[in-house]
Amino acid sequence: MSTTARATTAGSATTAGSATDVAATDVAAEITRLRAEVCRLHEHLTRWGLVTWTSGNVSARVPGADLLVIKPSGVSYDELTPAHMVVTDLDGSLVEGDYAPSSDTEAHAYVYRHMPQVGGVVHTHSPYATAWSARGEPIPCAVTAMADEFGGEIPVGPFALIGSDAIGRGIVATLTGHRSPAVLMRQHGPFTIGATAKAAVKAAVMCEDVARTIHLARQLGPVEPLPQAAVDALYERYQNVYGQR
């Protein structure tokens, strides 16, 4: 090999090594950022009354890596710090952290593996949404706020036991091709997804809000779903026009 060729090869190896180092640094920085963000987002679950005791969890996909950050199992919300957040791979295996990950980790991981557009997943046992899931009944789209956020009814997913990716399979099967970012897993509770963890938390808050509203409306009599054309128009406006652009 010529001197020029050896120099080029060495230079390429050095460049590749540097790129790898930079990529690893970027991922480490993202994990640090997401640990703080995911920890902070759990405060919304208690603020909006979506969880009790240690139930529920928020996770976030780590950009640029097949990893996720999620709440540890069984740790009280008022004790959570960024250091409590754990990192797993997209099979749910622990990669980094001093605590066991949430019992729902495999479900979250399955969603990330099969829905690449998803950057955040949330699970709660919020009372009104969970009541609908106990009945195995979708929440009909009968108010404009629901059309805005969910683009139709909130569907029901199949019953599945905790501790494997079975719940994740049900989430993906139910939400694929559906505009709703929320699914009521039968006799379990709601799961929500979003492009970010914050978006998934918002969907969880809104899911409980409309679950309560439609329940209260039904106490007064039959509830008429919105016409599909109105739902489509409301959803399009809210998703693409509403707010600051």
Side-chain angles (χ1 to χ4, degrees), residues 51-93:
V51 294
T52 57
W53 203 239
T54 63
S55 68
N57 37 72
V58 178
S59 74
R61 184 195 295 271
V62 179
D66 291 333
L67 301 171
L68 65 93
V69 175
I70 193 167
K71 171 182 174 287
S73 177
V75 177
S76 175
Y77 281 87
D78 58 5
E79 296 176 2
L80 288 179
T81 68
H84 284 95
M85 301 301 113
V86 295
V87 181
T88 77
D89 62 22
L90 296 191
D91 290 314
S93 299

Side-chain angles (χ1 to χ4, degrees), residues 36-241:
E37 180 180 337
V38 170
C39 180
R40 184 173 64 253
L41 286 171
H42 280 90
E43 296 173 8
H44 287 285
L45 304 191
T46 55
R47 174 186 177 189
W48 296 99
L50 306 186
V51 294
T52 57
W53 203 239
T54 63
S55 68
N57 37 72
V58 178
S59 74
R61 184 195 295 271
V62 179
D66 291 333
L67 301 171
L68 65 93
V69 175
I70 193 167
K71 171 182 174 287
S73 177
V75 177
S76 175
Y77 281 87
D78 58 5
E79 296 176 2
L80 288 179
T81 68
H84 284 95
M85 301 301 113
V86 295
V87 181
T88 77
D89 62 22
L90 296 191
D91 290 314
S93 299
L94 183 66
V95 171
E96 184 178 308
D98 298 325
Y99 299 85
S102 165
S103 57
D104 292 305
T105 299
E106 288 189 58
H108 289 238
Y110 187 93
V111 172
Y112 291 125
R113 291 201 308 274
H114 294 273
M115 303 183 86
Q117 77 278 17
V118 171
V121 179
V122 174
H123 172 48
T124 77
H125 294 162
S126 57
Y128 283 90
T130 301
W132 285 87
S133 80
R135 288 182 49 81
E137 184 176 354
I139 304 173
C141 186
V143 293
T144 59
M146 188 168 177
D148 289 343
E149 184 73 28
F150 299 96
E153 71 175 20
I154 297 177
V156 174
F159 176 77
L161 292 176
I162 302 169
S164 73
D165 64 8
I167 292 173
R169 292 199 303 270
I171 295 168
V172 170
T174 305
L175 292 184
T176 296
H178 205 294
R179 290 194 294 206
S180 173
V183 55
L184 308 175
M185 293 303 288
R186 185 182 293 269
Q187 295 175 292
H188 185 171
F191 281 79
T192 57
I193 60 175
T196 64
K198 183 178 180 180
V201 170
K202 179 194 175 188
V205 173
M206 297 300 292
C207 177
E208 179 64 5
D209 182 63
V210 299
R212 179 176 60 248
T213 298
I214 303 303
H215 168 75
L216 293 173
R218 293 209 310 183
Q219 307 316 297
L220 303 174
V223 172
E224 187 75 21
L226 290 167
Q228 188 61 49
V231 173
D232 292 342
L234 288 161
Y235 182 77
E236 172 67 22
R237 175 185 176 279
Y238 187 76
Q239 299 296 323
N240 299 305
V241 178

